[in-house]
Amino acid sequence: MVRHRRAVFADIEDDLVAPPGWTDIMCGVAGVASARGVRVEFEILKRMTDALAHRGPDGEGHWLSEDGEVALGHRRLSIIDLSSHGAQPMVSASGRFAMSYNGEVYNYLELRDELLRAGYPFHGQSDTEVIVAGFDHWGIENTISRLAGMFVIAVWDRRDKTLSLVRDRIGIKPLYYSVIDGALAFASELRPIVVWRGSLPEISRRGLSEFLRLGYVPSPLSIFEGVFKLPPATIATFSGGHLSEPKPYWSVDATVARGFANLRMDETEVLDQLDTRLGDIVAQHMVSDVPLGAFLSGGIDSSVVTALMQARSSSAVKTFSIGFDSAAYNEAGYAAEVAAHLGTDHTELYITEADALAVVPSLPDIYDEPFADISQIPTFLVAELARQKVTVSLSGDGGDELFGGYNRYMFVSNYWSRLSKIPLPLRRVAASAIAAPSSAGWDRIFDLLGPMLPGNARPALPGQKMQKIGSVLSAASLSELQGRLIAQWPHPEAVMAQGFGAGSALMLPPASQVPDLPAAAQQMAWDTSSYLVDDILTKVDRATMRVGLEARVPLLDHRLVEFAWEIPLDMKFRDGSGKHILKRLLGRYVPRAMFDRPKMGFGVPVDDWLRGPLREWAASYLAAARHGDDYLDRGVIAATWKEHLNGKINRGGQLWTILMFDIWHQRIRQWV
C-alpha cells in the first residue's frame, strides 16, 4: 500500500520485538576528565548534555567520580526498556568501571550467555549492562573486540585511573574530543566541546582547507583548531593529563588483506551465503519494541535491505521515500514499484522546491559542523517523514563502498591503467597546456571548432570538462587522481584568504598497505575508511538524530563487511557496472526490471537553485563576509559566482561549500 504526501498514519503494530528489558540507546554522550586534583563543575557537564538534548530527548544522566576529577554525561532516546536497569551512565557490578555509551550491540545476547556461564550476576536485560560486565570479566580491549554493533563508549577505570574513548569499527557513531591544559572533554557533537571551552576555538586552517576540497571535514580533523574526531575502530586512553594516540583494534586494510587471501570462488555459494548472512544481520537489526521501518529509495541497496526485512516480517514493513518533481532527481516511482511488489506499507512524500529550500537555514544546526553534501537536504526530509511514523529506520548505506556501486570505480581504474603508462613529466607538460586557457577560453575554442567536429565529438560544457582533464592528467598516483576527481575545490588555498590558506597541505586518500591491490579495490577501501565515515554516515547520523530517529545500517555490520571483502571483484563488477552479486541477491525477491537501470544520486538541483530561488540569498553571503574575521578570498568567490550565473559552467558544488561554511560560521556565534 502506498500513501502519498503527508498521510494520516495508522496505528503501529510491530511483529519483531526485543526480549523483555532489552535496552537499545540511541543518544548523545559527553564528559570531562580534569587534570589531576581539579574537580569538574557539574554545571558545565549539565550544559554539555543540554547541548545534545535533540539526540536524547527522553532523559538524561550524570555521574561524577568520588574525587570529582571525572564526569560522564548521557542523553537518552528511549527505544527499548524504560526501566532503571538500563539507565546511564552505568557502573559495573564490581564498581571498577563507569560508562557512558551511545549505540547498539547486536550480539549482546550471545555475550550475556557467556558471562552468565562465568557466574556474572545480571540485574537487568540491557546491552549496556552486558558491556560493563564484559569490562569486569574480559577487560576493555577484549570486550570491544567481541562487540558487533555501532557505538561510542567512554569508560572510566577507577582502579587504573584511566578514561578510555572507543569508536565502532566503521565509524557509524561520532565522537569529538579536545585536550587543554591537561583536561579532556569529549562529546557526540562539536557544540558541547565549545560549551566546555567557554569560547569559540580558532578555525583550523587544515580543517577548512579539507572542507573546501571535499565538502566535509575528514577525521581526525575538525573545523576547529585543537578539536579532533576519534577515528573509527580506535581506542584512546586518557591518564595523568595526557591522551594517548588512538590505537586501532580493527582496520579496513587488514580486513581487505584477509579477504583477498581467502576469496570465495563459487558464485552460487557466495550468493547463498550473502542471502543467509545478510538476512540474519537484518533480522538482528529489526529487533525493537518501538515502531520500525526502512528508508526505500528504489535503488539496489535500500531495496535489498527492505526485501530481507519483509521476508522476515509477518506484517507489512513500513517504508519511506522522498519524491521530486524533477525527473533527473526522482526515484520515488521506482521505490513505489518495489514497495508494491514486496507488499510494504509505503509512504512517499513529494517535496516541492519550497519544502527543500525551507530546510536551508536550519542546516548549520542539523549538521553541527560545516557540511556540504547537497543530499543533506533530502536526507533530513526523509528522516523527518519517517519519524512521524517510526522511531527506528534501517537504511541501505554501505552497499556502494562494499559492492562497487560508484561509477568512478571502473572509470578511474580504466583511466589510471592507461594514464600511468605515459611518463609523468610528459603528462605534466600536457596538463599545463590544457590549464593555460580558462574554462571560458576552452568554450570559445570549441565554438570555433564546432562546425568541423562530428556531432558525437561536441561535448556539453567543454570548458569545464577540459579543466577537469587538466587537473587529473598530472596525477602522480592513483590516490592523487581519486582525490582530484572528487574535489569541489581542487586547490582550496586559492579560495582561502591570503596568508590563512598558506601551507595547508592536503590530505590525499591513503594509499592501501595491501600489496598488489587492484585499483577499484583501493578506491573502495579508501571510501570505506574516509568518504563513507565523514560524509555518508555523518549525514545520516545528524539528520536522523535531529528528529529523534534511530538509523541502523545492516550492510555496515562488520561481520558483513568482512564477508564482502572475500567476494572477488569479478562478482561485483560485471558487464560494465557494479553490484553484480547484490543485484543477483535482489533478483531473488524483486523482478530485475524494477531495479536494473543506471544509478541515480540522492540530491537536489543546486545548480539551478543558485541561479533561481536561492540567488538573492546566496549573493548576500558570497559577495562579502558578514563579519570581520573572514577566512575566504571574496574576489575569487565573486568571480566563481559570476561564472556560475552566466549559465555556461556549473559551479554549484563549489559555491555550496562556501555557503555552508558562511551560514555555519554565522550561526556558531550563538553557541557561547
Side-chain angles (χ1 to χ4, degrees):
M1 175 172 56
V2 177
R3 296 192 176 102
H4 299 278
R5 304 234 174 228
R6 300 189 182 275
V8 177
F9 301 134
D11 292 335
I12 308 301
E13 182 181 356
D14 290 300
D15 59 303
L16 288 174
V17 298
W22 190 61
T23 304
D24 173 15
I25 301 175
M26 286 294 101
C27 55
V29 300
V32 179
S34 72
R36 198 169 291 266
V38 178
R39 298 186 66 86
V40 179
E41 295 180 24
F42 175 80
E43 292 75 15
I44 290 179
L45 178 65
K46 179 68 166 60
R47 287 172 56 209
M48 291 174 72
T49 55
D50 286 348
L52 294 171
H54 58 280
R55 295 184 74 93
D58 299 329
E60 62 182 323
H62 305 90
W63 178 90
L64 275 76
S65 61
E66 297 91 333
D67 57 13
E69 293 178 7
V70 178
L72 304 178
H74 188 265
R75 293 290 315 204
R76 183 176 183 180
L77 172 62
S78 299
I79 303 296
I80 299 170
D81 185 12
L82 304 182
S83 78
S84 60
H85 292 307
Q88 290 195 55
M90 181 177 287
V91 178
S92 68
S94 70
R96 177 178 172 182
F97 298 101
M99 181 184 77
S100 185
Y101 149 66
N102 165 208
E104 178 179 356
V105 173
Y106 298 108
N107 64 334
Y108 87 101
L109 284 176
E110 301 154 33
L111 300 177
R112 189 176 191 274
D113 287 344
E114 281 190 62
L115 292 164
L116 282 169
R117 289 193 296 270
Y120 193 91
F122 283 93
H123 302 287
Q125 300 289 329
S126 72
D127 61 343
T128 309
E129 189 178 6
V130 170
I131 297 171
V132 293
F135 293 158
D136 269 344
H137 187 67
W138 295 305
I140 293 174
E141 291 192 27
N142 285 333
T143 299
I144 296 303
S145 68
R146 286 171 158 82
L147 304 182
M150 54 181 181
F151 49 83
V152 294
I153 297 171
V155 54
W156 170 246
D157 184 337
R158 180 182 178 188
R159 188 193 73 186
D160 294 345
K161 297 290 184 181
T162 59
L163 179 73
S164 296
L165 302 178
V166 187
R167 192 174 181 191
D168 67 65
R169 292 170 181 81
I170 306 300
I172 301 169
K173 306 312 294 181
L175 191 67
Y176 291 84
Y177 68 89
S178 182
V179 178
I180 301 178
D181 298 329
L184 164 73
F186 62 88
S188 295
E189 294 185 9
L190 200 54
R191 186 169 180 171
I193 305 290
V194 175
V195 169
W196 170 71
R197 293 174 65 124
S199 62
L200 289 172
E202 290 293 322
I203 298 295
S204 165
R205 174 192 303 167
R206 198 173 182 196
L208 177 57
S209 174
E210 287 300 300
F211 168 71
L212 292 170
R213 186 170 72 92
L214 298 169
Y216 58 88
V217 183
S219 302
L221 303 177
S222 85
I223 195 63
F224 287 133
E225 199 69 49
V227 183
F228 303 94
K229 302 183 184 85
L230 187 68
T234 63
I235 302 174
T237 303
F238 182 79
S239 178
H242 300 283
L243 184 70
S244 70
E245 284 293 317
K247 175 185 174 183
Y249 63 88
W250 185 90
S251 79
V252 171
D253 263 0
T255 299
V256 172
R258 283 194 303 271
F260 269 78
N262 297 282
L263 291 175
R264 300 168 180 266
M265 307 310 295
D266 186 323
E267 186 167 322
T268 300
E269 181 182 331
V270 166
L271 182 59
D272 290 340
Q273 283 282 311
L274 180 61
D275 198 345
T276 300
R277 290 178 184 230
L278 181 54
D280 290 345
I281 287 170
V282 165
Q284 285 189 331
H285 283 63
M286 292 175 69
V287 175
S288 171
D289 56 1
V290 294
L292 176 142
F295 299 133
L296 178 60
S297 70
I300 304 297
D301 307 330
S302 65
S303 296
V304 164
V305 170
T306 301
L308 292 171
M309 289 176 71
Q310 191 59 69
R312 284 154 179 80
S313 176
S314 60
S315 61
V317 170
K318 296 165 180 62
T319 53
F320 307 91
S321 67
I322 291 288
F324 301 91
D325 291 334
S326 171
Y329 296 90
N330 186 31
E331 285 189 292
Y334 303 124
E337 286 184 17
V338 172
H341 179 80
L342 294 174
T344 72
D345 179 3
H346 189 59
T347 301
E348 62 182 20
L349 173 66
Y350 270 79
I351 59 171
T352 66
E353 188 176 84
D355 293 329
L357 297 179
V359 177
V360 172
S362 302
L363 293 176
D365 295 323
I366 296 169
Y367 291 96
D368 185 56
E369 192 172 28
F371 188 76
D373 182 334
I374 190 60
S375 64
Q376 63 198 123
I377 294 176
T379 300
F380 173 74
L381 289 169
V382 76
E384 189 177 49
L385 173 68
R387 186 61 182 92
Q388 296 179 50
K389 198 172 182 183
V390 301
T391 311
V392 176
S393 187
L394 275 62
S395 84
D397 292 299
D400 287 315
E401 292 78 8
L402 292 179
F403 294 96
Y406 296 126
N407 295 330
R408 68 173 182 268
Y409 292 151
M410 285 194 299
F411 169 76
V412 171
S413 179
N414 295 334
Y415 185 75
W416 178 247
S417 67
R418 295 192 296 269
L419 187 65
S420 59
K421 294 174 183 176
I422 304 172
L424 181 59
L426 186 60
R427 286 192 276 121
R428 284 176 172 164
V429 170
S432 297
I434 291 173
S438 65
S439 293
W442 275 112
D443 286 339
R444 289 192 292 272
I445 291 170
F446 273 84
D447 285 343
L448 292 172
L449 294 175
M452 296 178 282
L453 295 174
N456 59 4
R458 299 173 191 169
L461 303 174
Q464 190 170 337
K465 291 179 179 176
M466 292 301 292
Q467 290 289 310
K468 178 65 79 172
I469 291 170
S471 72
V472 302
L473 195 58
S474 61
S477 66
L478 176 67
S479 62
E480 188 175 347
L481 172 61
Q482 166 103 344
R484 292 183 184 184
L485 277 173
I486 65 174
Q488 294 291 352
W489 293 91
H491 302 287
E493 68 279 3
V495 75
M496 296 169 73
Q498 190 171 13
F500 185 74
S504 51
L506 298 180
M507 295 173 60
L508 292 174
S512 173
Q513 301 304 306
V514 183
D516 303 320
L517 194 64
Q522 290 187 51
Q523 296 171 78
M524 292 162 66
W526 175 78
D527 276 345
T528 302
S529 300
S530 183
Y531 172 69
L532 174 67
V533 179
D534 297 310
D535 187 310
I536 303 300
L537 293 175
T538 295
K539 175 179 62 183
V540 173
D541 174 80
R542 301 304 193 278
T544 55
M545 287 279 82
R546 176 55 58 170
V547 297
L549 178 72
E550 174 183 322
R552 300 178 182 176
V553 282
L555 288 170
L556 291 176
D557 187 296
H558 83 275
R559 297 166 294 184
L560 185 74
V561 172
E562 291 173 349
F563 174 73
W565 279 105
E566 295 176 1
I567 301 175
L569 289 182
D570 65 2
M571 293 187 199
K572 297 177 181 178
F573 299 98
R574 189 80 57 88
D575 300 325
S577 65
K579 297 186 183 175
H580 166 73
I581 195 70
L582 209 57
K583 291 174 183 175
R584 285 199 64 189
L585 174 58
L586 182 56
R588 290 183 168 186
Y589 299 90
V590 175
R592 195 174 183 96
M594 288 188 179
F595 61 83
D596 197 4
R597 61 183 184 277
K599 180 179 178 61
M600 292 179 67
F602 190 47
V604 293
V606 65
D607 293 321
D608 295 335
W609 284 2
L610 291 177
R611 296 186 184 106
L614 283 179
R615 178 170 178 166
E616 184 177 344
W617 168 81
S620 69
Y621 280 95
L622 297 173
R626 294 196 170 193
H627 305 284
D629 51 350
D630 198 7
Y631 299 93
L632 304 174
D633 187 325
R634 295 292 157 176
V636 172
I637 294 169
T640 306
W641 177 230
K642 182 178 180 181
E643 204 172 33
H644 182 74
L645 290 179
N646 70 25
K648 290 188 175 181
I649 299 177
N650 287 327
R651 301 292 192 196
Q654 291 179 307
L655 294 167
W656 193 252
T657 62
I658 302 299
L659 289 164
M660 290 301 97
F661 176 76
D662 278 347
I663 66 173
W664 172 86
H665 194 226
Q666 178 182 339
R667 187 65 56 85
I668 61 173
R669 295 168 189 276
Q670 302 172 15
W671 286 10
V672 293

